[in-house]
Amino acid sequence: MNLNRRHFLCLLSASTGALLLDACTPSENQPSIQNTLTVAASPEETPTATPTEEIKGAIQLPPLPYAYEALEPHIDAKTMQFHHDKHHATYVKNLNAALEKHPQLKNTSVEQMVQNLNNVPEDIRNTVRNNGGGHINHSMFWRIMKPNGGGEPTGAIAQAIKENFGSFDDFKKRFNEEGTKRFGSGWVWLVRDKSGKLEVVSTANQDNPISAGKYPIMGNDVWEHAYYLKYQSRRADYLDAWWNLLNWDEINQRLADAVKFK
Ligand code: MN3
């Protein structure tokens, strides 16, 4: 079993609570996965862990739905590994640390918190904005990509893109322009507002459009950590390549969720 496969199994088993310790042992060739384990560990493996109810309410790092190298050549394995195991894991870890201070939030979803930031206690509001946003943004991001994805959109999203942007090519052009001009770190999105109109917007940092009442149907991460190892400063090349990875089935599901969003 290769390392990526082993680590994927480790994440899977950790997320179901059945930790396969030997599948999770870091080796010299693999950076430490301590962050992941810390986030996903269950009480049996961690003697000092908090009681079951709190673990149950804790936010979990979702496993990548494919191997690190599955999106090559468009996104390289090393970028995927760091992006998921370090960056996303850190958002989850920081979010859990903040939420521990306010156990009354344990039945509130991260989406609900980010949607209504004013209802989040002030002392953790910025932490939830940045790390809760980071968590939901990346959880979407992994799922709207897949190996051998891309191509023309299918289903309802194909029709919606045509109605709102004229053609798929015009939409892609608009999306890539918005992603290229976002200064510094942030995201470019296709969103649906409550009137049903689709638009392309960008946000800074880990802000999610749901905070502004717009449902994110799909989004691309334009932080340098998403592309720098392979593309260096060529963000436009990364934005172009990303279309080869899209999972239109998942994006159609998100469009259906957007229609239900109030
Ligand atoms: Mn990122």
Side-chain angles (χ1 to χ4, degrees), residues 41-227:
S42 68
E44 289 78 21
E45 288 78 40
T46 315
T48 56
T50 44
T52 311
E53 311 87 77
E54 288 182 41
I55 290 288
K56 203 176 160 193
I59 310 306
Q60 303 283 308
L61 176 68
L64 271 185
Y66 33 71
Y68 298 126
E69 69 272 22
L71 305 185
E72 299 257 15
H74 309 295
I75 301 180
D76 59 291
K78 206 76 187 161
T79 295
M80 290 302 290
Q81 185 176 9
F82 277 102
H83 202 173
H84 178 271
D85 296 6
K86 298 296 180 190
H87 292 274
H88 190 171
T90 301
Y91 298 129
V92 172
K93 193 176 165 190
N94 293 343
L95 180 62
N96 278 325
L99 295 178
E100 264 179 32
K101 298 175 197 162
H102 292 279
Q104 77 276 18
L105 291 172
K106 73 176 179 185
N107 295 322
T108 308
S109 71
V110 183
E111 286 80 2
Q112 287 169 327
M113 291 183 224
V114 173
Q115 189 184 340
N116 301 295
L117 283 166
N118 286 337
N119 294 345
V120 174
E122 200 174 351
D123 64 315
I124 62 164
R125 193 173 297 153
N126 265 333
T127 305
V128 169
R129 178 177 178 177
N130 293 327
N131 295 279
H135 173 55
I136 61 175
N137 295 347
H138 289 86
S139 297
M140 170 211 69
F141 187 60
W142 313 131
R143 292 179 57 88
I144 62 165
M145 300 189 290
K146 67 171 188 176
N148 305 311
E152 295 280 320
T154 54
I157 193 68
Q159 187 58 31
I161 286 171
K162 202 174 163 191
E163 282 167 12
N164 285 269
F165 301 96
S167 70
F168 179 49
D169 282 345
D170 288 333
F171 164 61
K172 270 198 330 196
K173 189 162 171 268
R174 170 85 193 88
F175 193 96
N176 285 359
E177 280 169 1
E178 189 68 27
T180 305
K181 78 177 191 198
R182 162 52 53 189
F183 184 75
S185 298
W187 289 74
V188 52
W189 307 92
L190 172 66
V191 299
R192 182 183 190 274
D193 70 18
K194 287 176 182 171
S195 76
K197 185 173 176 293
L198 267 51
E199 55 181 331
V200 171
V201 299
S202 69
T203 57
N205 304 317
Q206 294 296 352
D207 287 350
N208 186 292
I210 209 165
S211 302
K214 294 173 181 179
Y215 195 91
I217 297 168
M218 57 188 271
N220 195 358
D221 186 343
V222 298
W223 284 56
E224 283 186 345
H225 68 226
Y227 62 87

Side-chain angles (χ1 to χ4, degrees), residues 7 24 26 31-41 85-86 89 93:
H7 188 200
C24 300
S32 162
I33 51 171
Q34 282 298 316
N35 281 352
T36 307
L37 289 174
T38 304
V39 167
D85 296 6
K86 298 296 180 190
K93 193 176 165 190

